[in-house]
PDB file of all heavy atoms in Angstrom:
ATOM      1  N   VAL G  24       5.738 -10.567   7.500  1.00 98.00           N
ATOM      2  CA  VAL G  24       6.784  -9.598   7.205  1.00 98.00           C
ATOM      3  C   VAL G  24       6.088  -8.298   6.803  1.00 98.00           C
ATOM      4  O   VAL G  24       5.085  -8.306   6.096  1.00 98.00           O
ATOM      5  CB  VAL G  24       7.770 -10.079   6.115  1.00 98.00           C
ATOM      6  CG1 VAL G  24       7.086 -10.281   4.783  1.00 98.00           C
ATOM      7  CG2 VAL G  24       8.938  -9.133   5.974  1.00 98.00           C
ATOM      8  N   VAL G  25       6.585  -7.200   7.320  1.00 98.00           N
ATOM      9  CA  VAL G  25       6.105  -5.868   6.974  1.00 98.00           C
ATOM     10  C   VAL G  25       7.344  -5.039   6.657  1.00 98.00           C
ATOM     11  O   VAL G  25       8.254  -4.949   7.480  1.00 98.00           O
ATOM     12  CB  VAL G  25       5.309  -5.216   8.132  1.00 98.00           C
ATOM     13  CG1 VAL G  25       4.787  -3.850   7.717  1.00 98.00           C
ATOM     14  CG2 VAL G  25       4.171  -6.116   8.590  1.00 98.00           C
ATOM     15  N   LYS G  26       7.374  -4.460   5.439  1.00 98.00           N
ATOM     16  CA  LYS G  26       8.547  -3.700   5.004  1.00 98.00           C
ATOM     17  C   LYS G  26       8.154  -2.263   4.679  1.00 98.00           C
ATOM     18  O   LYS G  26       7.120  -2.032   4.061  1.00 98.00           O
ATOM     19  CB  LYS G  26       9.149  -4.316   3.741  1.00 98.00           C
ATOM     20  CG  LYS G  26       9.641  -5.724   3.909  1.00 98.00           C
ATOM     21  CD  LYS G  26      10.172  -6.267   2.593  1.00 98.00           C
ATOM     22  CE  LYS G  26      10.657  -7.689   2.739  1.00 98.00           C
ATOM     23  NZ  LYS G  26      11.259  -8.182   1.485  1.00 98.00           N
ATOM     24  N   LEU G  27       9.007  -1.332   5.065  1.00 98.00           N
ATOM     25  CA  LEU G  27       8.859   0.061   4.656  1.00 98.00           C
ATOM     26  C   LEU G  27       9.806   0.291   3.487  1.00 98.00           C
ATOM     27  O   LEU G  27      11.024   0.128   3.617  1.00 98.00           O
ATOM     28  CB  LEU G  27       9.206   1.011   5.798  1.00 98.00           C
ATOM     29  CG  LEU G  27       9.045   2.486   5.468  1.00 98.00           C
ATOM     30  CD1 LEU G  27       7.577   2.843   5.266  1.00 98.00           C
ATOM     31  CD2 LEU G  27       9.650   3.353   6.562  1.00 98.00           C
ATOM     32  N   LEU G  28       9.224   0.628   2.344  1.00 97.00           N
ATOM     33  CA  LEU G  28       9.996   0.862   1.125  1.00 97.00           C
ATOM     34  C   LEU G  28       9.928   2.338   0.776  1.00 97.00           C
ATOM     35  O   LEU G  28       8.842   2.928   0.754  1.00 97.00           O
ATOM     36  CB  LEU G  28       9.431   0.030  -0.019  1.00 97.00           C
ATOM     37  CG  LEU G  28       9.365  -1.480   0.244  1.00 97.00           C
ATOM     38  CD1 LEU G  28       8.565  -2.174  -0.842  1.00 97.00           C
ATOM     39  CD2 LEU G  28      10.755  -2.059   0.340  1.00 97.00           C
ATOM     40  N   CYS G  29      11.078   2.941   0.513  1.00 97.00           N
ATOM     41  CA  CYS G  29      11.163   4.362   0.180  1.00 97.00           C
ATOM     42  C   CYS G  29      11.878   4.515  -1.158  1.00 97.00           C
ATOM     43  O   CYS G  29      12.879   3.848  -1.415  1.00 97.00           O
ATOM     44  CB  CYS G  29      11.937   5.124   1.252  1.00 97.00           C
ATOM     45  SG  CYS G  29      11.206   5.007   2.895  1.00 97.00           S
ATOM     46  N   TRP G  35      13.852   1.933  -5.377  1.00 96.00           N
ATOM     47  CA  TRP G  35      13.208   1.607  -4.112  1.00 96.00           C
ATOM     48  C   TRP G  35      14.200   0.980  -3.142  1.00 96.00           C
ATOM     49  O   TRP G  35      14.995   0.116  -3.526  1.00 96.00           O
ATOM     50  CB  TRP G  35      12.025   0.667  -4.347  1.00 96.00           C
ATOM     51  CG  TRP G  35      10.885   1.372  -4.991  1.00 96.00           C
ATOM     52  CD1 TRP G  35      10.617   1.449  -6.332  1.00 96.00           C
ATOM     53  CD2 TRP G  35       9.880   2.141  -4.337  1.00 96.00           C
ATOM     54  NE1 TRP G  35       9.500   2.218  -6.535  1.00 96.00           N
ATOM     55  CE2 TRP G  35       9.023   2.655  -5.324  1.00 96.00           C
ATOM     56  CE3 TRP G  35       9.607   2.455  -3.006  1.00 96.00           C
ATOM     57  CZ2 TRP G  35       7.921   3.451  -5.033  1.00 96.00           C
ATOM     58  CZ3 TRP G  35       8.505   3.248  -2.709  1.00 96.00           C
ATOM     59  CH2 TRP G  35       7.674   3.731  -3.715  1.00 96.00           C
ATOM     60  N   HIS G  36      14.133   1.416  -1.887  1.00 96.00           N
ATOM     61  CA  HIS G  36      15.026   0.936  -0.828  1.00 96.00           C
ATOM     62  C   HIS G  36      14.186   0.403   0.332  1.00 96.00           C
ATOM     63  O   HIS G  36      13.212   1.034   0.730  1.00 96.00           O
ATOM     64  CB  HIS G  36      15.906   2.080  -0.297  1.00 96.00           C
ATOM     65  CG  HIS G  36      16.783   2.695  -1.323  1.00 96.00           C
ATOM     66  ND1 HIS G  36      18.108   2.373  -1.440  1.00 96.00           N
ATOM     67  CD2 HIS G  36      16.524   3.618  -2.287  1.00 96.00           C
ATOM     68  CE1 HIS G  36      18.639   3.083  -2.423  1.00 96.00           C
ATOM     69  NE2 HIS G  36      17.692   3.840  -2.955  1.00 96.00           N
ATOM     70  N   GLU G  37      14.597  -0.727   0.886  1.00 97.00           N
ATOM     71  CA  GLU G  37      13.963  -1.262   2.079  1.00 97.00           C
ATOM     72  C   GLU G  37      14.643  -0.611   3.287  1.00 97.00           C
ATOM     73  O   GLU G  37      15.815  -0.863   3.571  1.00 97.00           O
ATOM     74  CB  GLU G  37      14.115  -2.783   2.129  1.00 97.00           C
ATOM     75  CG  GLU G  37      13.432  -3.422   3.302  1.00 97.00           C
ATOM     76  CD  GLU G  37      13.590  -4.932   3.333  1.00 97.00           C
ATOM     77  OE1 GLU G  37      14.143  -5.524   2.366  1.00 97.00           O
ATOM     78  OE2 GLU G  37      13.184  -5.525   4.333  1.00 97.00           O
ATOM     79  N   ALA G  38      13.905   0.248   3.974  1.00 97.00           N
ATOM     80  CA  ALA G  38      14.479   1.007   5.082  1.00 97.00           C
ATOM     81  C   ALA G  38      14.242   0.350   6.436  1.00 97.00           C
ATOM     82  O   ALA G  38      15.025   0.544   7.372  1.00 97.00           O
ATOM     83  CB  ALA G  38      13.900   2.426   5.095  1.00 97.00           C
ATOM     84  N   LEU G  39      13.178  -0.425   6.531  1.00 97.00           N
ATOM     85  CA  LEU G  39      12.771  -0.984   7.818  1.00 97.00           C
ATOM     86  C   LEU G  39      11.983  -2.261   7.557  1.00 97.00           C
ATOM     87  O   LEU G  39      11.250  -2.350   6.565  1.00 97.00           O
ATOM     88  CB  LEU G  39      11.883   0.037   8.535  1.00 97.00           C
ATOM     89  CG  LEU G  39      11.475  -0.214   9.970  1.00 97.00           C
ATOM     90  CD1 LEU G  39      12.674  -0.028  10.893  1.00 97.00           C
ATOM     91  CD2 LEU G  39      10.378   0.761  10.363  1.00 97.00           C
ATOM     92  N   ARG G  40      12.124  -3.230   8.472  1.00 98.00           N
ATOM     93  CA  ARG G  40      11.390  -4.489   8.294  1.00 98.00           C
ATOM     94  C   ARG G  40      11.035  -5.047   9.666  1.00 98.00           C
ATOM     95  O   ARG G  40      11.858  -5.073  10.578  1.00 98.00           O
ATOM     96  CB  ARG G  40      12.257  -5.484   7.534  1.00 98.00           C
ATOM     97  CG  ARG G  40      11.650  -6.858   7.377  1.00 98.00           C
ATOM     98  CD  ARG G  40      12.558  -7.840   6.623  1.00 98.00           C
ATOM     99  NE  ARG G  40      13.841  -8.009   7.276  1.00 98.00           N
ATOM    100  CZ  ARG G  40      15.027  -7.763   6.684  1.00 98.00           C
ATOM    101  NH1 ARG G  40      15.092  -7.344   5.439  1.00 98.00           N
ATOM    102  NH2 ARG G  40      16.150  -7.956   7.343  1.00 98.00           N
ATOM    103  N   TYR G  41       9.816  -5.476   9.793  1.00 98.00           N
ATOM    104  CA  TYR G  41       9.375  -6.274  10.935  1.00 98.00           C
ATOM    105  C   TYR G  41       9.119  -7.676  10.412  1.00 98.00           C
ATOM    106  O   TYR G  41       8.563  -7.843   9.323  1.00 98.00           O
ATOM    107  CB  TYR G  41       8.045  -5.770  11.489  1.00 98.00           C
ATOM    108  CG  TYR G  41       8.079  -4.557  12.368  1.00 98.00           C
ATOM    109  CD1 TYR G  41       8.100  -3.281  11.832  1.00 98.00           C
ATOM    110  CD2 TYR G  41       8.003  -4.679  13.756  1.00 98.00           C
ATOM    111  CE1 TYR G  41       8.070  -2.155  12.640  1.00 98.00           C
ATOM    112  CE2 TYR G  41       7.972  -3.564  14.573  1.00 98.00           C
ATOM    113  CZ  TYR G  41       8.007  -2.307  14.015  1.00 98.00           C
ATOM    114  OH  TYR G  41       7.971  -1.201  14.821  1.00 98.00           O
ATOM    115  N   ASP G  42       9.481  -8.690  11.204  1.00 97.00           N
ATOM    116  CA  ASP G  42       9.113 -10.055  10.849  1.00 97.00           C
ATOM    117  C   ASP G  42       9.166 -10.943  12.078  1.00 97.00           C
ATOM    118  O   ASP G  42       9.555 -10.495  13.154  1.00 97.00           O
ATOM    119  CB  ASP G  42       9.985 -10.610   9.709  1.00 97.00           C
ATOM    120  CG  ASP G  42      11.441 -10.761  10.056  1.00 97.00           C
ATOM    121  OD1 ASP G  42      11.754 -11.629  10.890  1.00 97.00           O
ATOM    122  OD2 ASP G  42      12.273 -10.031   9.485  1.00 97.00           O
ATOM    123  N   ASP G  51      13.925  -4.859  12.153  1.00 97.00           N
ATOM    124  CA  ASP G  51      15.261  -4.663  11.603  1.00 97.00           C
ATOM    125  C   ASP G  51      15.331  -3.273  10.997  1.00 97.00           C
ATOM    126  O   ASP G  51      14.519  -2.926  10.133  1.00 97.00           O
ATOM    127  CB  ASP G  51      15.562  -5.685  10.497  1.00 97.00           C
ATOM    128  CG  ASP G  51      15.687  -7.101  11.025  1.00 97.00           C
ATOM    129  OD1 ASP G  51      16.182  -7.279  12.153  1.00 97.00           O
ATOM    130  OD2 ASP G  51      15.296  -8.040  10.307  1.00 97.00           O
ATOM    131  N   ILE G  52      16.288  -2.485  11.445  1.00 97.00           N
ATOM    132  CA  ILE G  52      16.560  -1.179  10.853  1.00 97.00           C
ATOM    133  C   ILE G  52      17.700  -1.392   9.877  1.00 97.00           C
ATOM    134  O   ILE G  52      18.777  -1.855  10.260  1.00 97.00           O
ATOM    135  CB  ILE G  52      16.925  -0.144  11.934  1.00 97.00           C
ATOM    136  CG1 ILE G  52      15.757  -0.005  12.925  1.00 97.00           C
ATOM    137  CG2 ILE G  52      17.288   1.193  11.299  1.00 97.00           C
ATOM    138  CD1 ILE G  52      16.091   0.769  14.178  1.00 97.00           C
ATOM    139  N   LEU G  53      17.435  -1.095   8.609  1.00 96.00           N
ATOM    140  CA  LEU G  53      18.392  -1.412   7.547  1.00 96.00           C
ATOM    141  C   LEU G  53      19.148  -0.175   7.087  1.00 96.00           C
ATOM    142  O   LEU G  53      18.579   0.914   6.987  1.00 96.00           O
ATOM    143  CB  LEU G  53      17.647  -2.030   6.366  1.00 96.00           C
ATOM    144  CG  LEU G  53      16.830  -3.272   6.731  1.00 96.00           C
ATOM    145  CD1 LEU G  53      15.883  -3.642   5.614  1.00 96.00           C
ATOM    146  CD2 LEU G  53      17.738  -4.424   7.069  1.00 96.00           C
ATOM    147  N   ASP G  54      20.428  -0.355   6.782  1.00 93.00           N
ATOM    148  CA  ASP G  54      21.233   0.739   6.237  1.00 93.00           C
ATOM    149  C   ASP G  54      21.201   0.668   4.706  1.00 93.00           C
ATOM    150  O   ASP G  54      20.678  -0.290   4.141  1.00 93.00           O
ATOM    151  CB  ASP G  54      22.649   0.721   6.803  1.00 93.00           C
ATOM    152  CG  ASP G  54      23.493  -0.462   6.349  1.00 93.00           C
ATOM    153  OD1 ASP G  54      23.183  -1.085   5.307  1.00 93.00           O
ATOM    154  OD2 ASP G  54      24.493  -0.756   7.029  1.00 93.00           O
ATOM    155  N   PRO G  55      21.738   1.676   4.031  1.00 92.00           N
ATOM    156  CA  PRO G  55      21.680   1.696   2.565  1.00 92.00           C
ATOM    157  C   PRO G  55      22.353   0.518   1.863  1.00 92.00           C
ATOM    158  O   PRO G  55      22.038   0.239   0.714  1.00 92.00           O
ATOM    159  CB  PRO G  55      22.360   3.018   2.205  1.00 92.00           C
ATOM    160  CG  PRO G  55      22.057   3.894   3.357  1.00 92.00           C
ATOM    161  CD  PRO G  55      22.175   2.976   4.556  1.00 92.00           C
ATOM    162  N   GLY G  57      21.811  -2.444   2.783  1.00 91.00           N
ATOM    163  CA  GLY G  57      20.874  -3.544   2.985  1.00 91.00           C
ATOM    164  C   GLY G  57      21.156  -4.365   4.228  1.00 91.00           C
ATOM    165  O   GLY G  57      20.437  -5.313   4.532  1.00 91.00           O
ATOM    166  N   LYS G  58      22.196  -3.994   4.974  1.00 94.00           N
ATOM    167  CA  LYS G  58      22.547  -4.711   6.195  1.00 94.00           C
ATOM    168  C   LYS G  58      21.733  -4.191   7.374  1.00 94.00           C
ATOM    169  O   LYS G  58      21.369  -3.019   7.430  1.00 94.00           O
ATOM    170  CB  LYS G  58      24.038  -4.567   6.499  1.00 94.00           C
ATOM    171  CG  LYS G  58      24.923  -5.244   5.493  1.00 94.00           C
ATOM    172  CD  LYS G  58      26.378  -5.100   5.853  1.00 94.00           C
ATOM    173  CE  LYS G  58      27.243  -5.758   4.783  1.00 94.00           C
ATOM    174  NZ  LYS G  58      28.662  -5.593   5.060  1.00 94.00           N
ATOM    175  N   TYR G  92      16.830   7.375   6.856  1.00 96.00           N
ATOM    176  CA  TYR G  92      17.439   6.582   5.795  1.00 96.00           C
ATOM    177  C   TYR G  92      18.080   7.486   4.748  1.00 96.00           C
ATOM    178  O   TYR G  92      19.180   7.213   4.275  1.00 96.00           O
ATOM    179  CB  TYR G  92      16.386   5.671   5.155  1.00 96.00           C
ATOM    180  CG  TYR G  92      16.980   4.634   4.241  1.00 96.00           C
ATOM    181  CD1 TYR G  92      17.390   3.411   4.738  1.00 96.00           C
ATOM    182  CD2 TYR G  92      17.148   4.887   2.888  1.00 96.00           C
ATOM    183  CE1 TYR G  92      17.940   2.450   3.900  1.00 96.00           C
ATOM    184  CE2 TYR G  92      17.705   3.934   2.045  1.00 96.00           C
ATOM    185  CZ  TYR G  92      18.091   2.722   2.565  1.00 96.00           C
ATOM    186  OH  TYR G  92      18.650   1.788   1.740  1.00 96.00           O
TER     187      TYR G  92
END
Side-chain angles (χ1 to χ4, degrees):
V24 63
V25 182
K26 298 178 181 184
L27 181 68
L28 303 170
C29 301
W35 288 94
H36 299 260
E37 183 180 354
L39 188 72
R40 176 181 58 238
Y41 281 83
D42 65 68
D51 292 325
I52 300 169
L53 304 167
D54 68 21
K58 293 181 182 178
Y92 191 88

